[in-house]
Amino acid sequence: MKKILLVLDAAHVDTEIIHFACNFATLSHSSLTGLFFGNYEEEAPDTKMEFGAPYIEEPPVYSAGPNITLQQLEDHITQFKRSCAVRGVRCQVQFNNNSYGSESVIEESRFADLLIIKASATRERKWKDTPTPFVKDVLAAAECPVLVAPNSLAEIKEIVFAYDGSRSAVFAIKQFTYLFPELAEKKAIVLQVNKDDDMPVTEQDHLGKWLRLHYSSIGFKVLQGKATEALFTFLHDRQHTIVVMGAYGRNGLSELVKPATAAFKRR
């Protein structure tokens, strides 16, 4: 992996997610690109008259509504660069003027190896539910793997592969493994929700053989019940866990995103 894309609100410096992304960039020896999103419009400069001729008293100023100025934006970008430099992470900054929707994030994801976004990222300052509509749009259409970051930084000690037997789930497992070979020593659990008690022997055998080539410790866990509810119950109190799921997990993601759990999703 070479390029990680980090989605950042240009109006607010979130040091936690920057530190989180820097840790992954350090782990994978990747560069980190901060994609600042916002709705910026150029304000018309004040024009005055003197000696019968017009002149501009102040240079043009950019704003993102009442909450940010050009100086604040530059300060936030500087802080991002400084945080990366302190951790020895190579970084770049991208900002698209007048781009406040998910479309620009999705477009940039086409040329990234991994996209990191916080579940609370939003265009609406007062949106309380997570993941927000903005994040859901990104998850639905992103063209690279997406890592939904937790609200607080925590060391990853365990990987849970949510598995439903689909090609999407297997692809997500492979993609995560290829992106983060450095996590090979972490405990890996294949978690499946079935009506029956057991995972089909053939699938467990094939998947187990493949995983043992990449991880030093693996296990299988089968739950019964509705997938979303069973996953939530299993993951609710687990700490330092990253959850890997394919596209099937998109609808249930809102119930799985908790402060101590990061979720990795691949379309």
Side-chain angles (χ1 to χ4, degrees), residues 44-50 53-59:
D46 294 330
T47 302
K48 295 189 176 182
M49 298 292 294
E50 186 171 318
Y55 74 98
I56 298 175
E57 185 177 49
E58 298 291 340

Side-chain angles (χ1 to χ4, degrees), residues 8-181:
L8 294 168
D9 184 349
H12 172 67
V13 177
D14 189 335
T15 55
E16 284 286 347
I17 194 173
I18 294 174
H19 296 171
F20 179 83
C22 282
N23 285 346
F24 273 92
T26 300
L27 178 69
S28 59
H29 309 287
S30 303
S31 65
L32 182 62
T33 298
L35 178 59
F36 287 80
F37 69 90
N39 187 20
Y40 291 77
E41 297 178 357
E42 184 176 359
E43 297 178 352
D46 294 330
T47 302
K48 295 189 176 182
M49 298 292 294
E50 186 171 318
F51 305 113
Y55 74 98
I56 298 175
E57 185 177 49
E58 298 291 340
V61 176
Y62 289 82
S63 68
N67 297 321
I68 194 168
T69 64
L70 176 60
Q71 183 61 54
Q72 289 173 321
L73 171 62
E74 291 177 344
D75 290 343
H76 295 170
I77 290 176
T78 299
Q79 187 168 343
F80 166 73
K81 290 181 176 179
R82 184 181 298 117
S83 296
C84 293
V86 167
R87 291 163 179 78
V89 174
R90 292 176 290 112
C91 71
Q92 296 179 334
V93 172
Q94 291 181 214
F95 170 72
N96 298 322
N97 192 27
N98 291 326
S99 177
Y100 212 112
S102 59
E103 294 81 5
S104 63
V105 176
I106 294 167
E107 181 179 349
E108 294 295 338
S109 73
R110 183 177 301 174
F111 308 102
D113 297 309
L114 176 71
L115 186 149
I116 298 178
I117 190 169
K118 205 164 188 175
S120 57
T122 180
R123 295 171 292 176
E124 306 294 336
R125 296 284 177 238
K126 296 182 180 181
W127 197 277
K128 296 181 180 180
D129 295 335
T130 56
T132 64
F134 176 77
V135 175
K136 289 180 179 179
D137 288 344
V138 172
L139 285 171
E143 298 185 29
C144 73
V146 179
L147 178 60
V148 180
N151 291 326
S152 59
L153 186 63
E155 179 188 359
I156 295 174
K157 298 181 179 179
E158 179 183 67
I159 305 165
V160 172
F161 294 114
Y163 179 66
D164 67 344
S166 67
R167 289 180 294 177
S168 174
V170 174
F171 185 76
I173 293 172
K174 288 183 175 180
Q175 192 77 346
F176 179 86
T177 301
Y178 298 153
L179 288 174
F180 298 109

